[in-house]
Amino acid sequence: HGAAAAILYLALLYLAWMLTGNVHFRMRHAIGRLARRWAGVPLTAVLIALVEELLFRAMLLAGLLEAFGAWVALPAGTVIFAAAHYVRSVKRYWTFPGHVALGALLCAAFYWTGNVWLSFGVHAGGVLVLMAVRPVVRYTGPAWLVGASIFPYAGAVGIAALVLLTVNMWLVYGGVR
């Protein structure tokens, strides 16, 4: 469910941006190179999501929940997850609110279900779509609206979509335990 939801939300975002001229899709590489790149996308998405979910949710958030309870653990887990994406030098720091919104979604998914499967699915589905479209998409809209090529959830529309996806997950998986 998590992977399907993330894929659906990103597909709808890209469709809306394409219809409004904020992104353009076109082949920029030879088909052989593109096929080799796409061949590794599913495994990479699974590995990235697996490592981050085991580290940030199964270990860190679970420990924080046990030690401090949800009112401290969820915000702390969210901010630590977001900040961890900036420990190395990056081109863009304005994307931080998008990582906070993503971290809140992933932490809430873990909290509501008591395991990593939902957050893993959301994470893997999102990475899958982002990595698959990266070689064929060009962002032409303003960054505040469509985010950045490495993280389209960082724009206003992406953050709104993350909030909406979080609400959808809450409606399905249950609010506060």
Side-chain angles (χ1 to χ4, degrees):
H1 183 237
I7 291 167
L8 176 64
Y9 268 70
L10 276 167
L12 292 173
L13 278 177
Y14 280 116
L15 177 63
W17 289 333
M18 183 181 70
L19 293 174
T20 58
N22 286 294
V23 299
H24 298 283
F25 290 91
R26 69 177 178 86
M27 297 282 290
R28 294 192 325 258
H29 305 288
I31 193 69
R33 181 176 178 198
L34 200 52
R36 284 189 302 278
R37 190 164 183 181
W38 278 339
V41 166
L43 180 61
T44 302
V46 166
L47 289 175
I48 288 171
L50 182 65
V51 168
E52 289 195 1
E53 291 311 305
L54 290 175
L55 176 64
F56 290 108
R57 257 58 70 191
M59 291 174 56
L60 176 69
L61 184 58
L64 289 170
L65 284 165
E66 190 175 300
F68 301 106
W71 290 103
V72 172
L74 292 171
T78 295
V79 171
I80 291 168
F81 171 79
H85 287 82
Y86 298 88
V87 295
R88 62 180 172 76
S89 180
V90 295
K91 291 180 186 178
R92 300 168 185 94
Y93 289 94
W94 63 265
T95 57
F96 187 75
H99 278 102
V100 169
L102 177 61
L105 166 61
L106 297 172
C107 287
F110 177 84
Y111 177 67
W112 293 326
T113 60
N115 62 60
V116 297
W117 293 114
L118 181 61
S119 59
F120 169 76
V122 170
H123 205 151
V127 172
L128 179 81
V129 172
L130 296 181
M131 290 187 70
V133 302
R134 190 175 292 163
V136 294
V137 71
R138 280 286 180 238
Y139 294 79
T140 55
W144 67 266
L145 182 66
V146 297
S149 62
I150 55 157
F151 191 54
Y153 274 141
V157 174
I159 291 171
L162 283 167
V163 170
L164 183 58
L165 181 53
T166 303
V167 169
N168 288 165
M169 291 293 170
W170 174 74
L171 291 171
V172 173
Y173 291 98
V176 179
R177 290 192 294 172

